[in-house]
Amino acid sequence: MTGTLFGLGVGPGDPELITVKAFRMLKESPVIAYPKKRKGSKSYAQQIIDVYINQTEKEMLGLVFPMTKDEAILEREWLATVEAVWQKLKEGKDVAFVTEGDPMLYSTFIHMMKLMQELHPEVPIVTIPGISSVNGAASRLGIPLAEGDDHVAIIPAQDDYEKMKKVLMDNDCVVFIKVAKVMDMMLKVLRELGLSEKASVVTKVTSGEEVIWKLEELDRAELEYLTLMVVRK
């Protein structure tokens, strides 16, 4: 009998923000799949679950996800990754794939799930929702995302000045993820719209490495990938 593939959301960074159900699946699943860095350092999701598992009692399946836009490389590496997970599933072992935040919101697990469904449709797939960095940031910053009839948007920040400006004009609250690479441009948009005082920026929210930035510190700052911006008008 084929094992079940579980997509486990393990929260935004603080290990105590993992759900009871995700905790139980970590304990019950014989195989833990996790994003693995090529250089050998621990991935963010792996750091979050470290306190909950004894790696000598589990099969730890580290998966490398290439950071490239080369379609040929992406297809090759993704097929190899899905095959590695399938090898465990076809032995009848459940596999818990851990991902920071929620598995169905801008998660690596989404592509894993789609490819597994395409290549091995017989595999049962279950997702366990997790607290996203969006929710974590709202709580840590004390910023309500929406109330009443407010419009809220979650947007991957892009190098498109007019598009980012329109998003801010059209919504009451915007959470920009993946904002580090375009921070200088975003600061210009905020200043033009007079929204600088309405913006908050945080890196690795709720984790032991969390940094809540002052806007004046952000000009030409070297920011980590896991940085987001909340703008509440």
Side-chain angles (χ1 to χ4, degrees):
M1 184 175 177
T2 304
T4 298
L5 174 60
F6 291 93
L8 258 60
V10 296
D14 181 350
E16 290 189 316
L17 292 179
I18 190 172
T19 66
V20 174
K21 191 165 188 176
F23 172 78
R24 177 170 64 83
M25 295 316 305
L26 281 174
K27 294 297 185 183
E28 294 179 1
S29 299
V31 182
I32 308 295
Y34 60 95
K36 176 184 176 182
K37 294 185 178 180
R38 290 189 187 277
K39 295 180 180 178
S41 59
K42 290 184 179 179
S43 69
Y44 199 52
Q46 189 183 5
Q47 289 178 46
I48 294 170
I49 65 168
D50 247 5
V51 296
Y52 295 119
I53 59 172
N54 183 343
Q55 295 193 19
T56 62
E57 298 175 353
K58 301 286 184 181
E59 287 188 62
M60 302 299 294
L61 186 60
L63 305 171
V64 176
F65 298 96
M67 300 295 285
T68 178
K69 293 184 178 180
D70 187 310
E71 292 294 333
I73 295 175
L74 284 171
E75 182 178 8
R76 183 188 71 230
E77 295 294 331
W78 266 105
L79 288 173
T81 296
V82 172
E83 181 62 22
V85 174
W86 165 243
Q87 289 299 318
K88 302 300 180 182
L89 293 167
K90 75 176 184 179
E91 295 173 11
K93 298 174 181 176
D94 291 342
V95 177
F97 182 103
V98 297
T99 177
E100 64 262 23
D102 180 270
M104 302 299 265
L105 182 67
Y106 294 112
S107 163
T108 309
F109 180 75
I110 296 171
H111 195 50
M112 165 68 71
M113 176 181 69
K114 288 180 176 178
L115 266 181
M116 189 65 73
Q117 288 171 332
E118 177 186 331
L119 298 172
H120 304 287
E122 70 274 28
V123 173
I125 299 177
V126 176
T127 58
I128 311 299
I131 297 171
S132 73
S133 60
V134 174
N135 302 109
S139 291
R140 286 290 294 121
L141 298 169
I143 299 173
L145 295 177
E147 60 180 329
D149 296 324
D150 286 351
H151 289 194
V152 60
I154 303 171
I155 304 291
Q158 300 170 41
D159 190 14
D160 186 327
Y161 192 95
E162 292 303 321
K163 189 173 184 178
M164 297 300 97
K165 179 179 174 182
K166 187 175 189 305
V167 166
L168 283 166
M169 293 172 66
D170 289 348
N171 294 279
D172 301 292
C173 180
V174 184
V175 181
F176 291 101
I177 63 172
K178 305 177 183 179
V179 74
K181 63 185 184 296
V182 293
M183 182 58 74
D184 289 345
M185 185 205 72
M186 289 301 304
L187 293 175
K188 291 177 184 177
V189 176
L190 291 171
R191 287 162 183 154
E192 180 185 340
L193 295 176
L195 293 175
S196 295
E197 299 302 315
K198 303 293 185 181
S200 300
V201 176
V202 59
T203 296
K204 292 188 173 180
V205 68
T206 77
S207 77
E209 302 171 65
E210 175 188 271
V211 179
I212 297 175
W213 297 88
K214 296 177 181 178
L215 247 62
E216 59 267 24
E217 298 174 328
L218 290 169
D219 284 300
R220 298 180 178 80
E222 292 291 329
L223 299 173
E224 292 197 40
Y225 177 76
L226 293 173
T227 298
L228 59 76
M229 173 188 286
V230 183
V231 184
R232 181 76 162 99
K233 294 194 294 189

